[in-house]
């Protein structure tokens, strides 16, 4: 299938702001990052979802590998300006384009549980050069939820922060037993 190279989400404000643009001290966010600090105001009378819905849609598109901009739809030149790369609206940088399996795991599945893994395992999973990017029983630090073999689970680091989603070959019961038995048990 075809993939988009860019997406412009047009709205009734110029961009995403640090707080509602009518409030004093509101600043345009030129490039949105996951840690961007924003205050969401009331929904406009024209739309349905408000800025939070636009931000959520832009983040999904960017995670899918598509450069995305939220900009004003009142200025008809904005479409041209966005696709010419001009400093208009708020840019959501595209992540590396995921393959079909990664897209399926990210956007079309529901997690049935959570596994918490070691820092070494996280580094191995995130290293594109690693020969083996699978989890071993010795990588597990914790298992939450009840799930069967081949279930989709969220993967958390040692601190409990989610960073990936994957498919477990073992059920939650088998994973918990392997964790209780200690390293080298499986």
């Amino acid at each position: 299938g075809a993939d988009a190279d860019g997406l412009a989400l047009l709205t009734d404000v110029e961009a995403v702001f640090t707080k509602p643009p009518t409030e004093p001290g509101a600043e345009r966010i030129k490039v949105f990052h996951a840690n961007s600090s924003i205050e969401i105001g009331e929904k406009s009378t024209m739309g349905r979802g408000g800025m939070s819905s636009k931000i959520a849609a832009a983040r999904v598109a960017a995670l899918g590998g598509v450069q995305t901009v939220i900009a004003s739809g009142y200025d008809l030149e904005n479409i041209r300006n966005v696709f010419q790369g001009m400093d208009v609206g708020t840019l959501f940088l595209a992540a590396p384009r995921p393959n079909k399996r990664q897209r399926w795991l990210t956007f079309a599945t529901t997690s049935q549980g959570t596994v918490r893994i070691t820092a070494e395992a996280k580094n191995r999973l995130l290293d594109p050069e690693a020969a083996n990017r699978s989890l071993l029983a010795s990588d597990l630090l914790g298992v939450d939820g009840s799930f069967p073999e081949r279930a989709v689970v969220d993967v958390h680091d040692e601190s409990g922060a989610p960073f990936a989603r994957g498919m477990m070959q073992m059920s939650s019961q088998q994973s918990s037993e392997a964790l209780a038995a200690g390293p080298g048990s499986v």
Side-chain angles (χ1 to χ4, degrees):
D3 288 313
D5 292 323
L7 172 65
L9 298 174
L10 303 179
T11 184
D12 60 350
V13 294
E14 295 297 318
V16 178
F17 288 82
T18 54
K19 55 174 93 175
T22 56
E23 291 187 16
E27 297 177 18
R28 176 174 75 106
I29 298 173
K30 292 183 179 190
V31 179
F32 190 91
H33 299 283
N35 61 351
S36 293
S37 177
I38 60 171
E39 285 179 32
I40 302 292
E42 297 292 319
K43 296 179 187 176
S44 76
T45 56
M46 293 177 50
R48 292 180 169 228
M51 187 54 72
S52 60
S53 294
K54 290 172 190 68
I55 291 170
R59 291 184 74 185
V60 166
L63 284 172
V66 179
Q67 292 282 83
T68 305
V69 173
I70 295 177
S72 173
Y74 290 127
D75 183 347
L76 297 180
E77 291 298 310
N78 272 348
I79 294 174
R80 181 183 352 265
N81 294 341
V82 164
F83 290 105
Q84 288 180 346
M86 297 180 76
D87 184 17
V88 173
T90 298
L91 172 65
F92 291 72
L93 295 169
R97 198 164 291 231
N99 63 36
K100 289 179 182 178
R101 186 172 199 281
Q102 291 166 331
R103 277 191 234 181
W104 171 75
L105 279 170
T106 304
F107 301 117
T109 62
T110 301
S111 174
Q112 296 184 32
T114 302
V115 294
R116 194 166 47 88
I117 63 170
T118 65
E120 296 81 18
K122 177 181 179 180
N123 292 337
R124 189 175 67 246
L125 289 178
L126 296 178
D127 180 1
E129 305 291 318
N132 179 7
R133 293 176 60 191
S134 298
L135 288 179
L136 307 172
S138 59
D139 296 325
L140 295 176
L141 296 174
V143 178
D144 291 313
S146 176
F147 51 86
E149 294 175 9
R150 304 203 41 84
V152 173
V153 297
D154 289 325
V155 183
H156 293 201
D157 63 18
E158 285 183 347
S159 70
F163 73 93
R165 184 174 277 183
M167 189 178 290
M168 289 290 288
Q169 298 301 315
M170 297 188 295
S171 69
S172 56
Q173 181 177 348
Q174 293 166 324
S175 299
S176 294
E177 289 169 359
L179 180 62
S185 62
V186 177

